[in-house]
């Protein structure tokens, strides 16, 4: 099944998902599957990562999670097995890194994974210090990611405000607080929005070989 079709349905005019493959984010407490797509627009390239349903058939089955532009500083390094010996049929583990991203991903063994990594290699050639992509076409996606992250953090922060704290503030109406907009005015919530960054895993010492 060509899962790039599902990603293509989420893209704008002039944007093309060239190839897609499923992977699993490493270093997390739970198994977090992602659909990774190599997207091109105006000869600029980026890796789109989506959360997805078990079968990603249409655009409704995927949700954009983050974007990694292929620009200066971008690299993909394969994590070598113990003693540097590859076992036929074993998963392929790689680090995907950029200025703001450090992702360790397990990919299934097979020709499709190798084709995906080879295509990334081709797209990355010439970007390091040679060209200066602007990625203006990514602006709309980053804004949506930022908005989604803001709303998620806001909802989570609201859940963490103690009920007795809310009661005290409402009761102290003469202090100038109202229930509407309580979080901001009372100063109980500190919000920080960040995207295109991985906060779940740090890079340990490992044997790695540079793919790109």
């Amino acid at each position: 099944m060509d899962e790039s079709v599902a990603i293509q349905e989420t893209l704008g005019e002039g944007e093309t998902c060239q190839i897609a493959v499923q992977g699993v984010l490493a270093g997390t407490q739970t198994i977090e599957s992602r659909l990774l797509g190599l997207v091109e627009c105006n000869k600029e390239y980026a890796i789109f990562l989506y959360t997805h349903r078990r079968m990603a058939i249409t655009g409704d089955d995927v949700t954009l999670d983050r974007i990694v532009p292929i620009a200066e500083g971008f690299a993909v390094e394969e994590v070598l097995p113990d003693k540097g010996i590859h076992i036929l049929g074993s998963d392929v583990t790689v680090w995907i890194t950029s200025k703001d991203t450090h992702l360790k991903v397990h990919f299934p063994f097979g020709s499709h994974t190798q084709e995906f990594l080879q295509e990334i290699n081709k797209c990355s050639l010439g970007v390091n210090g040679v060209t200066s992509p602007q990625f203006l076409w990514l602006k709309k996606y980053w804004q949506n990611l930022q908005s989604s992250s803001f709303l998620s953090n806001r909802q989570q922060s609201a859940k963490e405000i103690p009920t007795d704290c809310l009661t005290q503030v409402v009761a102290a109406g003469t202090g100038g607080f109202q229930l509407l907009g309580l979080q901001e005015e009372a100063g109980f919530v500190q919000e920080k929005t960040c995207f295109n960054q991985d906060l779940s895993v740090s890079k340990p010492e490992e044997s790695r070989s540079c793919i790109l």
Side-chain angles (χ1 to χ4, degrees):
M1 181 179 63
D2 185 2
E3 291 175 307
S4 65
V5 174
I7 293 179
Q8 186 64 49
E9 290 187 9
T10 70
L11 302 179
E13 184 178 356
E15 302 165 2
T16 304
C17 180
Q18 297 187 340
I19 187 172
V21 64
Q22 283 192 29
V24 176
L25 298 184
T28 58
Q29 295 180 349
T30 59
I31 297 177
E32 296 188 17
S33 179
R34 293 291 186 274
L35 181 62
L36 290 82
L38 176 62
V39 178
E40 180 271 338
C41 181
N42 298 324
K43 297 184 179 180
E44 295 179 348
Y45 301 88
I47 298 175
F48 283 42
L49 289 89
Y50 293 80
T51 58
H52 60 93
R53 296 176 181 172
R54 185 172 182 178
M55 298 291 287
I57 301 174
T58 71
D60 293 333
D61 298 325
V62 298
T63 302
L64 186 61
D65 179 58
R66 74 185 74 200
I67 300 172
V68 185
I70 299 180
E72 186 173 1
F74 175 88
V76 174
E77 297 175 295
E78 183 175 359
V79 179
L80 299 178
D82 292 340
K83 300 180 182 180
I85 301 176
H86 287 274
I87 301 175
L88 185 63
S90 61
D91 288 347
V92 178
T93 302
V94 301
W95 276 106
I96 299 176
T97 60
S98 67
K99 180 180 178 180
D100 301 315
T101 302
H102 298 280
L103 291 173
K104 188 178 181 181
V105 187
H106 296 307
F107 291 110
F109 174 82
S111 59
H112 191 62
T113 291
Q114 293 302 320
E115 182 182 359
F116 177 78
L117 295 175
Q118 289 170 5
E119 288 300 318
I120 292 177
N121 183 28
K122 293 178 184 178
C123 297
S124 67
L125 294 177
V127 300
N128 292 321
V130 178
T131 61
S132 180
Q134 299 299 311
F135 295 109
L136 298 179
W137 57 284
L138 294 179
K139 182 178 180 180
K140 58 182 179 293
Y141 298 109
W142 279 326
Q143 289 176 335
N144 289 337
L145 286 171
Q146 187 176 24
S147 177
S148 298
S149 178
F150 175 84
L151 291 175
S152 177
N153 288 344
R154 184 183 181 92
Q155 292 170 355
Q156 183 62 33
S157 298
K159 292 179 182 179
E160 294 173 356
I161 299 178
T163 304
D164 57 345
C165 196
L166 288 173
T167 303
Q168 292 174 10
V169 173
V170 174
T174 56
F177 295 110
Q178 296 180 355
L179 186 58
L180 181 63
L182 174 64
Q183 292 93 329
E184 294 82 4
E185 296 183 57
F188 288 124
V189 179
Q190 295 181 346
E191 295 171 342
K192 182 178 181 181
T193 302
C194 55
F195 54 92
N196 285 345
Q197 296 186 27
D198 179 55
L199 306 179
S200 60
V201 56
S202 58
K203 296 180 68 173
E205 291 296 327
E206 297 171 306
S207 296
R208 302 195 297 273
S209 64
C210 186
I211 296 177
L212 306 183

